[in-house]
PDB file of all heavy atoms in Angstrom:
ATOM      1  N   ARG A  83     115.707 122.269  92.743  1.00 94.00           N
ATOM      2  CA  ARG A  83     114.534 122.821  93.426  1.00 94.00           C
ATOM      3  C   ARG A  83     114.571 124.340  93.512  1.00 94.00           C
ATOM      4  O   ARG A  83     113.531 125.000  93.434  1.00 94.00           O
ATOM      5  CB  ARG A  83     114.441 122.223  94.837  1.00 94.00           C
ATOM      6  CG  ARG A  83     113.036 122.269  95.429  1.00 94.00           C
ATOM      7  CD  ARG A  83     112.096 121.470  94.601  1.00 94.00           C
ATOM      8  NE  ARG A  83     110.740 121.416  95.152  1.00 94.00           N
ATOM      9  CZ  ARG A  83     109.703 120.919  94.521  1.00 94.00           C
ATOM     10  NH1 ARG A  83     109.850 120.434  93.294  1.00 94.00           N
ATOM     11  NH2 ARG A  83     108.507 120.902  95.066  1.00 94.00           N
ATOM     12  N   ASP A  84     115.738 124.896  93.675  1.00 94.00           N
ATOM     13  CA  ASP A  84     115.847 126.347  93.763  1.00 94.00           C
ATOM     14  C   ASP A  84     115.363 127.008  92.477  1.00 94.00           C
ATOM     15  O   ASP A  84     114.580 127.962  92.509  1.00 94.00           O
ATOM     16  CB  ASP A  84     117.291 126.753  94.067  1.00 94.00           C
ATOM     17  CG  ASP A  84     117.423 128.254  94.264  1.00 94.00           C
ATOM     18  OD1 ASP A  84     116.824 128.773  95.228  1.00 94.00           O
ATOM     19  OD2 ASP A  84     118.120 128.903  93.466  1.00 94.00           O
ATOM     20  N   HIS A  85     115.825 126.482  91.334  1.00 96.00           N
ATOM     21  CA  HIS A  85     115.361 127.032  90.056  1.00 96.00           C
ATOM     22  C   HIS A  85     113.866 126.787  89.873  1.00 96.00           C
ATOM     23  O   HIS A  85     113.151 127.644  89.335  1.00 96.00           O
ATOM     24  CB  HIS A  85     116.131 126.403  88.895  1.00 96.00           C
ATOM     25  CG  HIS A  85     117.503 126.957  88.699  1.00 96.00           C
ATOM     26  ND1 HIS A  85     118.588 126.531  89.428  1.00 96.00           N
ATOM     27  CD2 HIS A  85     117.966 127.928  87.865  1.00 96.00           C
ATOM     28  CE1 HIS A  85     119.663 127.204  89.042  1.00 96.00           C
ATOM     29  NE2 HIS A  85     119.318 128.052  88.099  1.00 96.00           N
ATOM     30  N   TYR A  86     113.390 125.638  90.304  1.00 95.00           N
ATOM     31  CA  TYR A  86     111.976 125.314  90.168  1.00 95.00           C
ATOM     32  C   TYR A  86     111.101 126.328  90.906  1.00 95.00           C
ATOM     33  O   TYR A  86     110.082 126.784  90.375  1.00 95.00           O
ATOM     34  CB  TYR A  86     111.720 123.914  90.736  1.00 95.00           C
ATOM     35  CG  TYR A  86     110.265 123.546  90.825  1.00 95.00           C
ATOM     36  CD1 TYR A  86     109.566 123.120  89.708  1.00 95.00           C
ATOM     37  CD2 TYR A  86     109.583 123.625  92.032  1.00 95.00           C
ATOM     38  CE1 TYR A  86     108.223 122.789  89.786  1.00 95.00           C
ATOM     39  CE2 TYR A  86     108.246 123.295  92.121  1.00 95.00           C
ATOM     40  CZ  TYR A  86     107.570 122.865  90.994  1.00 95.00           C
ATOM     41  OH  TYR A  86     106.238 122.550  91.087  1.00 95.00           O
ATOM     42  N   LEU A  87     111.499 126.692  92.126  1.00 94.00           N
ATOM     43  CA  LEU A  87     110.692 127.610  92.921  1.00 94.00           C
ATOM     44  C   LEU A  87     110.794 129.050  92.418  1.00 94.00           C
ATOM     45  O   LEU A  87     109.829 129.814  92.497  1.00 94.00           O
ATOM     46  CB  LEU A  87     111.106 127.531  94.391  1.00 94.00           C
ATOM     47  CG  LEU A  87     110.836 126.190  95.086  1.00 94.00           C
ATOM     48  CD1 LEU A  87     111.446 126.178  96.476  1.00 94.00           C
ATOM     49  CD2 LEU A  87     109.340 125.899  95.151  1.00 94.00           C
ATOM     50  N   ARG A  88     111.949 129.410  91.886  1.00 95.00           N
ATOM     51  CA  ARG A  88     112.158 130.789  91.431  1.00 95.00           C
ATOM     52  C   ARG A  88     111.751 131.014  89.974  1.00 95.00           C
ATOM     53  O   ARG A  88     111.477 132.153  89.580  1.00 95.00           O
ATOM     54  CB  ARG A  88     113.636 131.173  91.608  1.00 95.00           C
ATOM     55  CG  ARG A  88     114.085 131.223  93.063  1.00 95.00           C
ATOM     56  CD  ARG A  88     115.578 131.461  93.151  1.00 95.00           C
ATOM     57  NE  ARG A  88     116.044 131.440  94.528  1.00 95.00           N
ATOM     58  CZ  ARG A  88     116.076 132.494  95.334  1.00 95.00           C
ATOM     59  NH1 ARG A  88     115.650 133.672  94.875  1.00 95.00           N
ATOM     60  NH2 ARG A  88     116.511 132.400  96.568  1.00 95.00           N
ATOM     61  N   ARG A  89     111.711 129.949  89.197  1.00 96.00           N
ATOM     62  CA  ARG A  89     111.417 130.059  87.757  1.00 96.00           C
ATOM     63  C   ARG A  89     110.280 129.099  87.391  1.00 96.00           C
ATOM     64  O   ARG A  89     110.520 128.018  86.839  1.00 96.00           O
ATOM     65  CB  ARG A  89     112.662 129.729  86.947  1.00 96.00           C
ATOM     66  CG  ARG A  89     113.790 130.752  87.050  1.00 96.00           C
ATOM     67  CD  ARG A  89     113.493 131.975  86.195  1.00 96.00           C
ATOM     68  NE  ARG A  89     113.181 131.610  84.812  1.00 96.00           N
ATOM     69  CZ  ARG A  89     114.111 131.385  83.866  1.00 96.00           C
ATOM     70  NH1 ARG A  89     115.401 131.508  84.159  1.00 96.00           N
ATOM     71  NH2 ARG A  89     113.757 131.063  82.632  1.00 96.00           N
ATOM     72  N   PRO A  90     109.049 129.459  87.681  1.00 95.00           N
ATOM     73  CA  PRO A  90     107.933 128.567  87.341  1.00 95.00           C
ATOM     74  C   PRO A  90     107.890 128.187  85.864  1.00 95.00           C
ATOM     75  O   PRO A  90     107.424 127.098  85.514  1.00 95.00           O
ATOM     76  CB  PRO A  90     106.696 129.383  87.744  1.00 95.00           C
ATOM     77  CG  PRO A  90     107.190 130.334  88.783  1.00 95.00           C
ATOM     78  CD  PRO A  90     108.595 130.674  88.383  1.00 95.00           C
ATOM     79  N   ASP A  91     108.367 129.072  84.993  1.00 97.00           N
ATOM     80  CA  ASP A  91     108.328 128.774  83.563  1.00 97.00           C
ATOM     81  C   ASP A  91     109.157 127.548  83.209  1.00 97.00           C
ATOM     82  O   ASP A  91     108.794 126.780  82.311  1.00 97.00           O
ATOM     83  CB  ASP A  91     108.811 129.984  82.758  1.00 97.00           C
ATOM     84  CG  ASP A  91     110.223 130.426  83.152  1.00 97.00           C
ATOM     85  OD1 ASP A  91     110.480 130.579  84.374  1.00 97.00           O
ATOM     86  OD2 ASP A  91     111.067 130.617  82.256  1.00 97.00           O
ATOM     87  N   LEU A  92     110.270 127.340  83.924  1.00 97.00           N
ATOM     88  CA  LEU A  92     111.106 126.175  83.645  1.00 97.00           C
ATOM     89  C   LEU A  92     110.394 124.876  84.008  1.00 97.00           C
ATOM     90  O   LEU A  92     110.620 123.840  83.376  1.00 97.00           O
ATOM     91  CB  LEU A  92     112.433 126.279  84.402  1.00 97.00           C
ATOM     92  CG  LEU A  92     113.354 127.436  84.012  1.00 97.00           C
ATOM     93  CD1 LEU A  92     114.618 127.422  84.873  1.00 97.00           C
ATOM     94  CD2 LEU A  92     113.726 127.365  82.533  1.00 97.00           C
ATOM     95  N   GLY A  93     109.554 124.921  85.013  1.00 97.00           N
ATOM     96  CA  GLY A  93     108.821 123.728  85.418  1.00 97.00           C
ATOM     97  C   GLY A  93     107.731 123.319  84.455  1.00 97.00           C
ATOM     98  O   GLY A  93     107.173 122.217  84.561  1.00 97.00           O
ATOM     99  N   ARG A  94     107.418 124.181  83.493  1.00 97.00           N
ATOM    100  CA  ARG A  94     106.370 123.882  82.507  1.00 97.00           C
ATOM    101  C   ARG A  94     106.934 123.300  81.216  1.00 97.00           C
ATOM    102  O   ARG A  94     106.176 122.984  80.302  1.00 97.00           O
ATOM    103  CB  ARG A  94     105.583 125.159  82.187  1.00 97.00           C
ATOM    104  CG  ARG A  94     104.937 125.795  83.408  1.00 97.00           C
ATOM    105  CD  ARG A  94     104.108 127.020  83.028  1.00 97.00           C
ATOM    106  NE  ARG A  94     103.583 127.673  84.219  1.00 97.00           N
ATOM    107  CZ  ARG A  94     103.962 128.861  84.664  1.00 97.00           C
ATOM    108  NH1 ARG A  94     104.881 129.555  83.992  1.00 97.00           N
ATOM    109  NH2 ARG A  94     103.443 129.375  85.758  1.00 97.00           N
ATOM    110  N   THR A  95     108.254 123.189  81.132  1.00 97.00           N
ATOM    111  CA  THR A  95     108.913 122.748  79.900  1.00 97.00           C
ATOM    112  C   THR A  95     109.782 121.536  80.175  1.00 97.00           C
ATOM    113  O   THR A  95     110.510 121.498  81.175  1.00 97.00           O
ATOM    114  CB  THR A  95     109.799 123.881  79.334  1.00 97.00           C
ATOM    115  OG1 THR A  95     109.017 125.063  79.159  1.00 97.00           O
ATOM    116  CG2 THR A  95     110.412 123.467  78.009  1.00 97.00           C
ATOM    117  N   LEU A  96     109.738 120.545  79.295  1.00 98.00           N
ATOM    118  CA  LEU A  96     110.596 119.374  79.439  1.00 98.00           C
ATOM    119  C   LEU A  96     112.047 119.730  79.165  1.00 98.00           C
ATOM    120  O   LEU A  96     112.349 120.551  78.291  1.00 98.00           O
ATOM    121  CB  LEU A  96     110.167 118.281  78.464  1.00 98.00           C
ATOM    122  CG  LEU A  96     108.909 117.486  78.809  1.00 98.00           C
ATOM    123  CD1 LEU A  96     108.433 116.705  77.581  1.00 98.00           C
ATOM    124  CD2 LEU A  96     109.151 116.547  79.977  1.00 98.00           C
ATOM    125  N   CYS A  97     112.940 119.094  79.916  1.00 98.00           N
ATOM    126  CA  CYS A  97     114.351 119.231  79.566  1.00 98.00           C
ATOM    127  C   CYS A  97     114.600 118.499  78.246  1.00 98.00           C
ATOM    128  O   CYS A  97     113.805 117.649  77.826  1.00 98.00           O
ATOM    129  CB  CYS A  97     115.234 118.678  80.688  1.00 98.00           C
ATOM    130  SG  CYS A  97     115.213 116.885  80.877  1.00 98.00           S
ATOM    131  N   ASP A  98     115.697 118.817  77.605  1.00 97.00           N
ATOM    132  CA  ASP A  98     115.980 118.258  76.271  1.00 97.00           C
ATOM    133  C   ASP A  98     116.070 116.735  76.300  1.00 97.00           C
ATOM    134  O   ASP A  98     115.548 116.054  75.404  1.00 97.00           O
ATOM    135  CB  ASP A  98     117.281 118.846  75.717  1.00 97.00           C
ATOM    136  CG  ASP A  98     117.161 120.329  75.391  1.00 97.00           C
ATOM    137  OD1 ASP A  98     116.018 120.812  75.246  1.00 97.00           O
ATOM    138  OD2 ASP A  98     118.206 121.005  75.297  1.00 97.00           O
ATOM    139  N   ALA A  99     116.719 116.186  77.335  1.00 97.00           N
ATOM    140  CA  ALA A  99     116.893 114.734  77.401  1.00 97.00           C
ATOM    141  C   ALA A  99     115.551 114.021  77.539  1.00 97.00           C
ATOM    142  O   ALA A  99     115.298 112.996  76.895  1.00 97.00           O
ATOM    143  CB  ALA A  99     117.813 114.370  78.565  1.00 97.00           C
TER     144      ALA A  99
END
Side-chain angles (χ1 to χ4, degrees):
R83 203 62 177 171
D84 184 64
H85 282 83
Y86 172 79
L87 295 173
R88 295 174 183 272
R89 291 283 307 276
D91 57 311
L92 296 179
R94 302 183 184 111
T95 305
L96 284 166
C97 71
D98 292 341

